[in-house]
Amino acid sequence: MSVAAERTALLERTWARPHGFAGLLTDVSHRAIGLRYLATAGFFFTLAGFAALVMRVQLAVPENELVGPETYNQVFTMHGLTMMLIVAVPVMEGLAIAMIPLLLGTRELAFPRLTAYGYWLYLAGASTLWLGLLVRAAPDAGWFAYPPLSEGRFARTLGVDLYATAVPMLELAAIVAAVELVVSILTHRAPGMSLNRMPLYAWSVLVMAGMIVIAMPALVVDGLLLEADRALGTAFFDPIAGGSPLLWQHLFWFFGHPEVYIMMLPGVGIVAMITATFARRRTIGYTLVAYSLVAIGAISFAVWAHHMFQTSEATLGMGLFSAATMSIVIPSGIIVFSTLATLAYGRPIWRFPLLYVLAYIWVFVIGGLTGVEIASMPFDGQAEDTYFLVAHFHYVLLGSVILPLLAGLAFWWPKLVGRLPNERLGVASFVLVFAGVNLTFFPMHLAGLRGMPRRVYTYPAGLGWDMPQLLATLGAFVLLVGLVVYALSLVVTTPAPADPWGGPTLEWATASPPGEPAFLTEPVVASPYPLWDTPPEPAAVGLTSDDRRETLVTSSWDGVPTQRAVEPGPTPIPLLAAIGTVVVFLGPLVDPTVVVLGLLVLAVALFAWLAPDRLELDEEWLRRGPKDAPPLATHSADLGLRPPAINGTIGLLAAAAVALFALVSSYFYLRVNAPRWPIGGLPARPLALGIAAAVVAAAGGVCALFSVARARRGGRAWPWLVAAAGLLAAAIVLLVVDSVRLDYNWATNATGSIEWALVFFAVLTLAAAAPGAAVVAAYAAAGYVSTARRHGVTSAALVACFAAVTTVVVVLVVHISPHVL
Amino acid sequence: MSDASLPAPVEPARIRWLGLRIVLPLALFATHVVTGFAIAAARCQRGLLSGTVLGADAARLAVEGVTLVAIALAFWCAVSAAVDLTRLTRADADVADPNGLQSFALGAVLALSGLVGIYLIWATIAIKTEIVC
């Protein structure tokens, strides 16, 4: 056997994936998890599609009684929920998880176990919602579950409880996958791939994932507050007790509008990749498209209130949201014109993924134009809650999510499964899908303009709604046939060569399907189109070991190799951690004591997850590796390098910070809208214990920082970590004592509810930080910490400081602000 | 290709406050929308800023003031980025901007500032014409 063949065989053994049932439970490779995401999302897409057909058949003719109003409510709620939260976001994350490492020229994502954990959590959350429908207890208050309709007084079934617990679970899954993607894109690119040389798809996924980290914690908070209202009798959304249903809407749409762009932006990236490949030219305006992606991501966070134009919020404020919404047309227009210009100035080869790009332009532009219309408050007043809106958002979502997704799956099918889709069936599917989309949703504009409200299970004849609804139903069946033909085009396939389309980016330098690992040597790139400009050559030979799972870590801005990361192999730990998390979320619906069991399982799983490998104490293991290889990421702190693990911790803490921000904003929103604060003449909280808790927690944070300083100088970090753990635990005790000695609780009124929620959040962060610091202290005492290897100490300190800051903020808001503001 | 073809650590010409200038336009945009909304809400829900200043509605004037500050900052971002970009294009590219990332980042500042500027001008129309509550 030649040296090259031996090396290949060794690499394949090193990166081998597990098979069989055990493999199903333990595989953490990005391709396996990505494909699972796609398959699971496809399954739920089918279910949601059937829910849509039930609605269409029901509305095909007036005064139809095929399904009753209760069933109809459950069906449209599940359709919306599934498409928005179970299909669109996970399918985009799944495709990114499968494809991004190939586009970036790396062998694996930064945190394979986190990828698997996110998937299991997603599967559990999605299944929970649909199992509810099987027992006729699905959520039935719309996908946005507005209070008071979703409050316990009006929605007495289990459905909304399932919504309020399963949705946060789904969001948590999305957040961890997003952190994974952000860190991977920023640290695991091929050498030479500076940010301005990243494929546009990677840009779109980077922005999408960043948005998820910022947007989704708001819905986690919102869902949990709703469940608290329903199960614990709190009053966040109950106006009788000082709460506000509009608070739900603010939190929901702070998540909900970015959600649209979270789903849309990867579609833009997919379209850019397909257009450049088939037009045989570089994307015109690559730079402007990258800027536009960032701009859309940022703007989308300041437009949420356009969903609330018809509420009682201040008109001038709403005018600003209207202006902000309209400014999104500029980057959106740049993206559309870039696609058109690339096609116009290229030499397009009209394969069917590119046909879907044409469909995207048509459908997305129509959806965008109606979006500009309803961004205007007077028009919105006419169109609000009519079928015009249904038409608008289906054009936007089908145009920017589903059509690019259909294009992207066909385009990357060779890399996903190693097969080339059937062109004839693909073209036929394009014709049917395009006709079906327009026939289904265009008539809805007319129905809406004629005043037909949405979410009605039937309607009287003779109001001009009959024909649009009948056409829409016919269109839905055409769309169904188109999607079936599309699915067939992915089944009736031929083996794919490595680069069937002549693509410019690194995924086309791998086999179809990619081997394990996809890249035997890390490619070096010098442009966004490396296969067109400089065909890849085995450049970085020798930078990573062949006999253990190593990936190259590169600098975030310039893509210069700085470290090697040792990736974990197959393990059941993510599954165990997901089981613990699911029990924590769903336990209260069965028996609150079950939560303790869930926490126990979660703690064991996290302990196993974060435990360092004993091998890391072995000098020979540390030194192993090729000559001139960069240092191991876990052992390079003395060189001033930051391992990806620290970035991951920062990402998760950023999500937690948004949750804190959501709670603090909720406090002030309720306070500003209450005639008197505290509501009901409640006494302001006594200062002594609150301030003591803040001081003690801050001291804990300072001790954690000292532990980092000691580790940096080669000293003993563990005594400082033990002190930090002790102080953080003491802060928990102080906060708990302060709360339980009050003569009112969370159920008294909205003041009590939001104060307790803030204090609970502080206790939660302290309860995560204190044991974390204690465990890292134990490992530090056992010799696992050195000047080079101190990321555990740094991570523990980051979490401890976050808990300390959270406690200080909560005390400032809950204890001190009523005295001074 | 040998290891020598690996990109060397890049040490481009240092551009001051580049990170800040990338974030600033986006922060300005979000801050303007949220501050404007908060001022209007404070007026309509709590009766704050309900008087007049020199005959002008105090709440409207406050939002206009915030808008002017935002326009000034966005203008500074755009102009400073344009100046730096011009300087960079005149310099030796291999030294000042070996992989093009500096120009890319400055272009982002310019584009994002311009976009925020357009929003702010558009918002001025809304501020002038909308009733406050």
Side-chain angles (χ1 to χ4, degrees):
Chain A
M1 194 185 277
S2 69
V3 175
E6 272 181 25
R7 181 169 172 264
T8 305
L10 175 58
L11 270 169
E12 284 173 351
R13 275 200 307 279
T14 304
W15 287 86
R17 283 168 46 192
H19 297 290
F21 183 67
L24 189 72
L25 303 180
T26 60
D27 202 342
V28 295
S29 84
H30 76 94
R31 213 159 67 84
I33 303 297
L35 285 172
R36 283 182 200 174
Y37 262 107
L38 293 176
T40 310
F43 172 72
F44 285 108
F45 177 74
T46 309
L47 292 183
F50 279 115
L53 283 181
V54 169
M55 286 188 280
R56 290 288 8 121
V57 171
Q58 167 67 16
L59 294 173
V61 291
E63 290 164 18
N64 195 358
E65 293 293 337
L66 181 72
V67 295
E70 291 84 6
T71 306
Y72 188 84
N73 287 350
Q74 292 185 21
V75 168
F76 83 67
T77 300
M78 285 308 296
H79 170 75
L81 256 182
T82 304
M83 285 301 192
M84 296 296 280
L85 300 181
I86 301 178
V87 174
V89 176
V91 83
M92 286 305 186
E93 286 194 321
L95 187 61
I97 284 167
M99 291 306 305
I100 279 292
L102 303 180
L103 272 89
L104 298 183
T106 182
R107 292 169 176 169
E108 187 50 274
L109 292 167
F111 312 118
R113 289 182 293 196
L114 200 60
T115 323
Y117 171 72
Y119 170 74
W120 292 118
L121 216 50
Y122 157 60
L123 181 65
S127 306
T128 302
L129 284 172
W130 274 90
L131 288 174
L133 189 66
L134 287 185
V135 295
R136 300 185 71 79
D140 57 359
W143 85 278
F144 36 59
Y146 280 170
L149 184 60
S150 55
E151 288 273 60
R153 274 173 294 157
F154 303 106
R156 293 171 191 276
T157 63
L158 185 65
V160 179
D161 295 308
L162 290 178
Y163 174 99
T165 45
V167 166
M169 228 161 30
L170 287 166
E171 301 310 280
L172 190 57
I175 290 167
V176 296
V179 169
E180 163 79 303
L181 287 167
V182 169
V183 176
S184 299
I185 292 172
L186 290 179
T187 62
H188 276 56
R189 300 197 302 273
M193 191 183 281
S194 49
L195 284 177
N196 55 326
R197 291 171 182 164
M198 268 198 331
L200 281 170
Y201 178 63
W203 265 107
S204 69
V205 171
L206 177 63
V207 177
M208 169 197 79
M211 291 172 69
I212 287 176
V213 173
I214 299 171
M216 294 212 171
L219 185 58
V220 175
V221 169
D222 217 11
L224 295 178
L225 295 187
L226 177 63
E227 186 54 21
D229 267 15
R230 292 173 60 83
L232 302 176
T234 53
F236 298 105
F237 309 119
D238 181 3
I240 296 168
S244 170
L246 289 184
L247 171 62
W248 168 275
Q249 293 196 30
H250 278 293
L251 288 175
F252 186 87
W253 290 117
F254 180 79
F255 141 82
H257 199 79
E259 162 89 345
V260 175
Y261 297 96
I262 284 167
M263 295 182 290
M264 180 196 122
L265 292 183
V268 170
I270 292 169
V271 164
M273 305 304 291
I274 293 174
T275 309
T277 299
F278 288 110
R280 293 287 181 264
R281 68 154 299 142
R282 297 152 178 253
T283 302
I284 291 183
Y286 165 95
T287 312
L288 282 176
V289 173
Y291 298 160
S292 298
L293 291 168
V294 176
I296 289 176
I299 293 173
S300 70
F301 281 101
V303 298
W304 79 88
H306 72 213
H307 293 272
M308 301 166 65
F309 279 163
Q310 308 314 318
T311 64
S312 57
E313 298 290 7
T315 312
L316 180 59
M318 290 296 163
L320 296 179
F321 279 105
S322 176
T325 303
M326 289 184 187
S327 61
I328 282 193
V329 297
I330 296 171
S332 303
I334 288 172
I335 286 168
V336 169
F337 281 112
S338 159
T339 309
L340 289 173
T342 306
L343 284 173
Y345 288 93
R347 289 171 283 118
I349 299 169
W350 293 103
R351 304 298 290 269
F352 87 92
L354 190 60
L355 294 177
Y356 273 101
V357 169
L358 289 186
Y360 147 85
I361 293 171
W362 174 267
V363 176
F364 177 58
V365 167
I366 290 180
L369 289 176
T370 52
V372 178
E373 289 174 354
I374 53 178
S376 157
M377 282 194 285
F379 185 83
D380 184 74
Q382 299 297 313
E384 177 70 20
D385 267 341
T386 69
Y387 260 85
F388 190 87
L389 283 203
V390 182
H392 157 69
F393 67 70
H394 278 92
Y395 262 88
V396 169
L397 293 179
L398 278 150
S400 63
V401 182
I402 301 298
L403 294 175
L405 184 68
L406 296 179
L409 283 177
F411 179 62
W412 280 319
W413 206 236
K415 297 301 151 192
L416 292 169
V417 301
R419 311 287 295 180
L420 204 56
N422 187 294
E423 183 67 19
R424 284 189 174 192
L425 289 171
V427 173
S429 78
F430 156 74
V431 173
L432 289 164
V433 167
F434 184 66
V437 167
N438 286 287
L439 187 57
T440 307
F441 298 109
F442 197 83
M444 290 185 188
H445 291 110
L446 303 176
L449 290 173
R450 291 171 183 171
M452 182 171 182
R454 59 195 284 208
R455 302 190 205 99
V456 289
Y457 88 104
T458 190
Y459 54 93
L463 295 175
W465 306 342
D466 313 18
M467 185 52 72
Q469 289 296 341
L470 182 61
L471 287 175
T473 302
L474 291 174
F477 280 96
V478 176
L479 182 55
L480 170 69
V481 175
L483 290 172
V484 170
V485 175
Y486 175 85
L488 282 176
S489 78
L490 299 184
V491 175
V492 184
T493 55
T494 49
D499 187 5
W501 317 122
T505 37
L506 289 175
E507 76 272 31
W508 304 112
T510 66
S512 294
E516 298 291 347
F519 297 95
L520 297 179
T521 56
E522 292 85 355
V524 172
V525 301
S527 94
Y529 310 94
L531 301 205
W532 285 352
D533 293 345
T534 49
E537 295 171 54
V541 179
L543 286 187
T544 50
S545 303
D546 296 338
D547 57 353
R548 65 184 173 202
R549 292 172 177 244
E550 285 188 6
T551 53
L552 209 53
V553 178
T554 48
S555 60
S556 297
W557 282 72
D558 298 302
V560 175
T562 55
Q563 305 163 74
R564 286 176 295 153
V566 180
E567 307 285 2
T571 167
I573 291 173
L575 176 59
L576 191 65
I579 290 171
T581 311
V582 171
V583 173
V584 169
F585 272 97
L586 296 183
L589 299 182
V590 186
D591 180 352
T593 54
V594 177
V595 174
V596 179
L597 182 67
L599 284 172
L600 215 61
V601 173
L602 188 59
V604 170
L606 289 179
F607 189 78
W609 189 325
L610 301 173
D613 196 325
R614 186 170 283 277
L615 280 171
E616 293 183 30
L617 293 178
D618 180 1
E619 284 296 319
E620 193 278 327
W621 186 88
L622 286 177
R623 276 197 303 270
R624 198 197 312 168
K627 188 170 166 286
D628 297 332
L632 289 179
T634 47
H635 292 73
S636 54
D638 52 338
L639 302 173
L641 298 169
R642 182 198 289 173
I646 301 290
N647 293 325
T649 307
I650 292 171
L652 292 174
L653 289 180
V658 177
L660 173 65
F661 175 74
L663 282 170
V664 171
S665 303
S666 301
Y667 174 92
F668 284 107
Y669 183 83
L670 290 172
R671 192 168 161 178
V672 166
N673 283 284
R676 270 180 66 84
W677 191 270
I679 296 166
L682 290 182
R685 285 201 177 206
L687 290 173
L689 282 179
I691 291 176
V695 170
V696 169
V702 171
C703 285
L705 290 176
F706 275 124
S707 73
V708 176
R710 291 291 293 169
R712 187 181 296 140
R713 291 197 210 101
R716 292 190 307 171
W718 68 265
W720 289 104
L721 282 169
V722 169
L727 288 166
L728 296 176
I732 295 177
V733 173
L734 289 168
L735 285 176
V736 170
V737 170
D738 178 52
S739 292
V740 296
R741 67 181 196 152
L742 296 173
D743 55 3
Y744 65 91
N745 69 9
W746 56 80
T748 308
N749 57 36
T751 300
S753 301
I754 192 65
E755 285 185 352
W756 278 75
L758 279 160
V759 171
F760 178 76
F761 186 79
V763 169
L764 204 62
T765 56
L766 290 165
V775 169
V776 175
Y779 281 117
Y784 280 95
V785 171
S786 64
T787 48
R789 189 194 190 288
R790 53 170 198 261
H791 63 279
V793 175
T794 311
S795 291
L798 280 170
V799 177
C801 287
F802 177 78
V805 170
T806 300
T807 308
V808 171
V809 169
V810 166
V811 168
L812 280 172
V813 171
V814 172
H815 294 80
I816 297 176
S817 79
H819 292 277
V820 296
L821 290 179
Chain B
M1 203 182 287
S2 69
D3 288 1
S5 65
L6 283 170
V10 178
E11 289 182 12
R14 187 177 156 81
I15 296 176
R16 285 194 301 169
W17 301 341
L18 184 55
L20 173 74
R21 281 187 284 170
I22 291 174
V23 176
L24 189 61
L26 303 175
L28 274 178
F29 173 81
T31 308
H32 182 266
V33 176
V34 173
T35 310
F37 177 73
I39 290 171
R43 159 72 178 279
C44 303
Q45 310 287 348
R46 307 288 288 185
L48 301 174
L49 294 171
S50 53
T52 57
V53 179
L54 298 174
D57 186 295
R60 200 187 297 275
L61 210 58
V63 180
E64 282 171 351
V66 172
T67 308
L68 277 178
V69 173
I71 287 175
L73 287 171
F75 187 72
W76 171 76
C77 270
V79 170
S80 66
V83 169
D84 283 344
L85 200 54
T86 312
R87 211 172 283 160
L88 205 59
T89 47
R90 286 178 185 164
D92 180 0
D94 288 341
V95 179
D97 194 14
N99 56 11
L101 192 56
Q102 307 278 322
S103 312
F104 180 80
L106 284 170
V109 177
L110 198 56
L112 296 174
S113 306
L115 179 62
V116 172
I118 291 170
Y119 154 74
L120 289 168
I121 292 167
W122 180 233
T124 308
I125 299 171
I127 296 164
K128 288 277 182 205
T129 55
E130 295 280 5
I131 54 170
V132 178
C133 297

